[in-house]
């Protein structure tokens, strides 16, 4: 396989526009099924179509004919490719040989077609029947000493119905070991929101962006991670909304956007402004920046009055005075040093907030993947509460979720720490006891496999070995298992990191028709970032006659493992309406689930905070009075010669661990992923030049060598002391024990590294 030509350049165009359309055409051609994919795109995010398998951004009330973005096209064409990975493919290629391939080449082989079992004697995957595969999983689970020796991992791509069956299978088996991708991304959001407001979800609807007077975005790059959000932000800006972006890197999508659906704009090469103010805090410095804005707000209220919403604060909140004392005691020198921003910059942002009568705060993983992420989320909520920006039109919290149903999976019970109310409801409906002991999250699951405490790993989608931190430790942990099972649409790295026994179970994709025995199409559901639940039904013929739905696979395992006395698993697999009836009987907010989800836009689950109701321990919205960290990582490393703080991030040709290509158009990278973005100041400080090749060396005090070799230095506009590079290539640098306080999420945006010169092999 020939490597692409590498090029580093300066990108001067707006986000989207003609560059996005050219990219769409290229990916349609690469799928080898362009005509059928065009048909699929016309049904993407439509009321009578299927939900995008990419991000979880909400759908507008009145959808256009083209309700998709460039990266949504990549997600669809990647799934609907004409390429196939058949048993013949596995006969040709050994696991050892495939381990030499990169992530793009692995997934680009095409769709998996048949269930396969790894044979360690031949080092090849070999065909296995569905009957034997399901029986093997059931037998291995029965053979464990205790149910807590099994792990049931969920990707955010799984639909609500699959998630419900998966958690039910795990709990009836006897464990709460349900780690999921939320553990690696937005766990801090759920924790912080629950502590402050009593629910772990955002409070805004898509319509609130039309009414907002100010929108503050923190630590997010919508141009790559959720591009349809750019259209929402652009419309808000056009309506006079002031958008303030806090993001460590300058990202083109937050600066200017050319909407491909605006014909005149495309014809004239025009574009529109997104952010009215763009500030670049140092990594981990957002909490300090928000605290600085709060100082300005308090000072202005003391001077002029009528800045704080005193009535809202008195009626609905608790703890303001304690937080205010902490804010006023925090010196500006500490705020500026930690945030990397000047007092003047912070004041300019605070003025936007003060003038606004309706403010939304949106954030993503630039906030949630630090040691003090929960405290930072709490600081964002504190900031909103000052002016009553919870529970009124055009205002509220908006944690922007990643994968399409990551929020829905948690709603369905994919959680290692379920509350008693949920378990009580399950017990009441199924009339059997549920396990009460909390299970493993993602990081503790790796430790448990490493230490021999967990021996069976079952993955519902995803690419666990590449998504997690400390990659070599994770791979070694998986290899200690008696059995690893992956339900997947395409080949990925996790399939090559086998336990003593291993299965690949190919599933029907989101775009494909999932038919009942009577020939009718099954409906699945998902929940977006705004808590809207809507239906999805595929339109394409499945990639292989041997594919099964996730639900068919899970129920096939469950009836062999548990029998059908408590649950009629065949009935659930035969008609997903029956699954939704179970959900409706157990979960508040899902009453009459089947009828409501068939409404054009589905239904809103609601949010107590939107009604100014706060089911917290105090019964109020709680201010948090936590002090700033004494020093965040970029401050600590400033005292260590030769070290720098790294954040891992996606390229534009990527969604989570799925690599669509080798380009990152908006950052000016073409034909490679082995780059590290560094400021000119740090290049001089570290003794490297633009274009040099370096190896990245991580912390090793625990005796584990952490390195990633062969990265090209790229000069970039990023704060001094801060660098950036793509994951999963840099995940080996993140120590397993480097996690957020309370969230236990990997600190992927705060990684200590040093550089060494590298001789690249050409």
């Amino acid at each position: 396989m020939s490597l692409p030509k590498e090029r580093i350049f300066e990108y001067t165009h707006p986000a989207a526009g003609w560059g996005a359309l050219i990219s769409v055409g290229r990916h349609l051609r690469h799928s080898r099924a362009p005509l059928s994919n065009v048909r699929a795109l016309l049904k993407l995010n439509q009321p009578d179509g299927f939900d995008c398998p990419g991000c979880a951004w909400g759908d507008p009330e009145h959808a256009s004919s083209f309700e998709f973005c460039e990266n949504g096209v990549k997600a669809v064409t990647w799934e609907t490719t004409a390429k196939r990975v058949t048993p013949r493919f596995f006969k040709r290629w050994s696991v050892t040989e495939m381990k030499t391939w990169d992530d793009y080449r692995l997934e680009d082989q095409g769709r998996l077609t048949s269930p396969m079992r790894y044979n360690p004697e031949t080092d090849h995957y070999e065909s296995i029947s569905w009957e034997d595969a399901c029986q093997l999983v059931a037998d291995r689970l029965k053979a464990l000493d205790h149910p807590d020796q099994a792990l049931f991992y969920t990707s955010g791509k799984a639909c609500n119905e699959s998630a419900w069956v998966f958690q039910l299978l795990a709990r009836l088996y006897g464990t709460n070991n349900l780690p999921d991708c939320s553990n690696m991304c937005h766990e801090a959001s759920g924790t912080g929101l629950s502590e402050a407001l009593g629910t772990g979800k955002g409070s805004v609807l898509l319509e609130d962006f039309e009414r907002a007077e100010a929108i503050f975005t923190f630590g997010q790059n919508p141009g790559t991670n959720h591009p349809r959000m750019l259209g929402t932000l652009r419309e808000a800006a056009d309506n006079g909304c002031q958008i303030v972006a806090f993001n460590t890197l300058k990202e083109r999508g937050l600066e200017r956007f050319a909407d491909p659906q605006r014909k005149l704009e495309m014809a004239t090469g025009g574009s529109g402004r997104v952010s009215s103010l763009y500030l670049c805090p140092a990594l981990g410095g957002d909490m300090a920046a928000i605290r600085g804005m709060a100082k300005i707000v308090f000072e202005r209220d003391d001077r002029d009055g009528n800045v704080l919403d005193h009535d809202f604060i008195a009626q609905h909140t608790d703890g303001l005075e304690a937080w205010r004392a902490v804010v006023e005691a925090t010196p500006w020198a500490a705020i500026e040093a930690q945030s990397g921003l000047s007092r003047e910059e912070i004041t300019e942002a605070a003025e936007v907030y003060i003038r606004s009568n309706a403010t939304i705060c949106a954030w993503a993983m630039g906030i949630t993947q630090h040691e003090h992420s929960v405290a930072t989320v709490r600081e964002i909520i504190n900031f909103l509460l000052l002016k009553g920006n919870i529970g009124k039109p055009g205002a509220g919290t908006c944690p922007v979720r990643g994968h399409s149903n990551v929020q829905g999976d948690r709603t369905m019970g994919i959680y290692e720490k379920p509350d008693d109310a949920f378990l009580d409801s399950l017990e009441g409906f199924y009339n059997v006891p549920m396990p009460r002991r909390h299970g493993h999250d993602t990081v503790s699951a790796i430790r448990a496999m490493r230490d021999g405490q967990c021996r069976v790993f079952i993955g519902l989608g995803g690419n666990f070995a590449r998504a997690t931190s400390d990659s070599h430790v994770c791979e070694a942990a998986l290899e200690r298992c008696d059995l690893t099972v992956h339900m997947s649409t395409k080949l990925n790295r996790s399939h090559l990191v086998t336990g003593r026994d291993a299965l690949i179970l190919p599933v029907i994709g989101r775009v494909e028709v999932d038919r009942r025995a009577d020939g009718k199409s099954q409906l699945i559901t998902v929940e977006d970032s705004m808590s809207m639940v809507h239906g999805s039904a595929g339109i394409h013929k499945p990639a292989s006659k041997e594919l099964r739905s996730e639900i068919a696979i899970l129920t096939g395992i469950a009836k062999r493992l548990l029998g059908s006395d408590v649950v009629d698993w065949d009935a659930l697999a035969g008609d997903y309406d029956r699954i939704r009836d179970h959900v409706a009987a157990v979960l508040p907010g899902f009453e009459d689930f089947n009828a409501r989800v068939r409404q054009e836009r589905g239904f809103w689950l609601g949010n107590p905070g939107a009604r100014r109701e706060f089911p917290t321990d105090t019964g109020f919205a709680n201010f948090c009075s936590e002090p700033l960290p004494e020093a965040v990582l970029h401050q600590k490393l400033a005292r260590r010669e030769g070290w720098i703080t790294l954040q891992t991030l996606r390229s534009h040709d990527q969604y989570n661990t799925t690599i669509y290509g080798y380009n990152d158009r908006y950052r000016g990278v073409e034909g490679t992923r082995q780059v590290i973005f560094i400021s000119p100041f740090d290049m001089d400080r570290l003794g490297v030049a633009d274009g040099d090749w370096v190896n990245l060396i991580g912390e090793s005090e625990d005796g584990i060598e952490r390195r990633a070799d062969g990265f090209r230095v790229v000069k970039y506009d990023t704060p001094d002391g801060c660098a950036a590079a793509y994951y999963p290539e840099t995940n080996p640098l993140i120590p397993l024990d480097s996690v957020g306080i309370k969230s236990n999420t990997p600190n992927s945006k705060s990684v200590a590294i040093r550089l060494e010169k590298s001789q690249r092999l050409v």
Side-chain angles (χ1 to χ4, degrees), residues 49 101 107 110 114 157 238 278 282 289 322 347 382 425 427 450 455 474 489 527 549 579 583 641 734 751:
W101 301 357
E107 291 208 29
S114 305
K157 192 177 178 181
D238 289 349
Y278 200 131
T347 299
N382 287 351
S425 191
E427 288 184 355
R450 177 196 64 190
R455 294 161 43 199
C474 179
T489 57
E527 178 187 341
S549 70
I579 300 174
V583 174
E641 185 177 352
I734 309 167
V751 186

Side-chain angles (χ1 to χ4, degrees), residues 146-148 169-176 435:
H146 191 278
D148 284 340
L169 162 61
R171 292 193 166 102
L172 289 177
Y173 173 60
T175 186
N176 285 312

Side-chain angles (χ1 to χ4, degrees), residues 298 313 318-327 623 625:
F298 284 130
I313 291 169
D318 181 66
L320 172 65
E321 292 308 316
W323 179 56
R324 180 168 185 163
V326 171
V327 171
F623 283 94
S625 55

Side-chain angles (χ1 to χ4, degrees), residues 431-632:
N431 198 31
V432 292
M434 294 290 162
R436 297 282 169 161
R437 179 181 176 181
H438 286 174
H440 289 297
D441 63 13
T442 295
V443 168
S444 66
I446 297 171
R447 294 193 191 108
M449 290 186 288
R450 177 196 64 190
D451 298 339
Q453 298 170 3
C454 286
R455 294 161 43 199
V456 172
F457 176 93
I458 303 174
L460 180 61
N463 186 358
F464 187 84
R466 292 299 270 169
T468 54
S469 56
D470 226 344
S471 304
H472 301 308
V473 173
C474 179
E475 290 179 5
L478 284 165
E479 288 170 346
R480 291 203 66 188
C481 288
D482 295 336
L483 175 68
T484 52
V485 182
H486 297 281
M487 285 166 265
S488 310
T489 57
K490 303 186 80 174
L491 187 66
N492 66 48
R493 182 72 55 184
S494 293
H495 302 146
L496 312 180
V497 185
T498 65
R500 297 179 185 90
D501 209 339
L503 291 172
I504 300 174
L505 304 181
V507 300
I508 292 173
R510 184 79 61 82
V511 182
E512 294 166 331
V513 178
D514 179 4
R515 295 199 184 280
R516 305 188 322 194
D518 62 7
K520 293 183 180 179
S521 176
Q522 298 270 27
L523 181 75
I524 62 169
T525 64
V526 296
E527 178 187 341
D528 64 29
S529 284
M530 283 76 178
S531 300
M532 293 293 299
V533 179
H534 52 273
S536 175
I539 65 169
H540 275 336
K541 181 180 178 182
S544 165
K545 291 181 180 180
E546 290 195 69
L547 298 187
R548 288 192 178 180
S549 70
E550 294 170 341
I551 294 166
I553 298 170
L554 294 172
T555 55
I557 295 169
K559 70 179 182 180
R560 290 167 175 82
L561 174 67
L562 304 168
S564 298
D565 293 339
V566 175
V567 176
D568 186 342
W569 300 104
D570 286 335
L572 297 187
D575 186 351
Y576 301 167
D577 279 2
R578 292 191 176 98
I579 300 174
R580 288 185 282 273
D581 287 339
H582 286 216
V583 174
V586 173
L587 291 181
F590 283 88
E591 298 80 8
D592 206 14
F593 191 177
N594 277 307
R596 292 163 68 204
V597 81
R598 286 177 166 88
Q599 299 169 0
E600 182 173 323
R601 203 179 171 213
F603 63 95
W604 184 44
L605 281 175
N607 185 293
R611 303 187 300 271
R612 292 191 165 177
E613 297 172 2
F614 304 105
T616 62
D617 292 341
T618 65
F620 297 97
N622 296 317
F623 283 94
C624 176
S625 55
E626 189 160 336
L628 289 182
E630 183 177 339
V632 296

Side-chain angles (χ1 to χ4, degrees), residues 51-57 69 225-228 401-405 655:
D51 190 75
C52 181
C55 81
W57 190 246
C69 66
N225 299 332
H226 22 266
R228 284 199 298 155
R401 310 289 178 172
H403 228 147
S404 59
N405 198 43
Y655 197 80

Side-chain angles (χ1 to χ4, degrees), residues 648-669:
T648 71
L649 40 69
R650 297 172 180 162
S651 79
H652 193 58
D653 266 359
Q654 175 180 357
Y655 197 80
N656 292 345
T657 58
T658 299
I659 312 301
Y660 301 124
Y662 296 99
N663 301 332
D664 192 355
R665 185 171 71 251
Y666 298 151
R667 299 191 184 107
V669 177

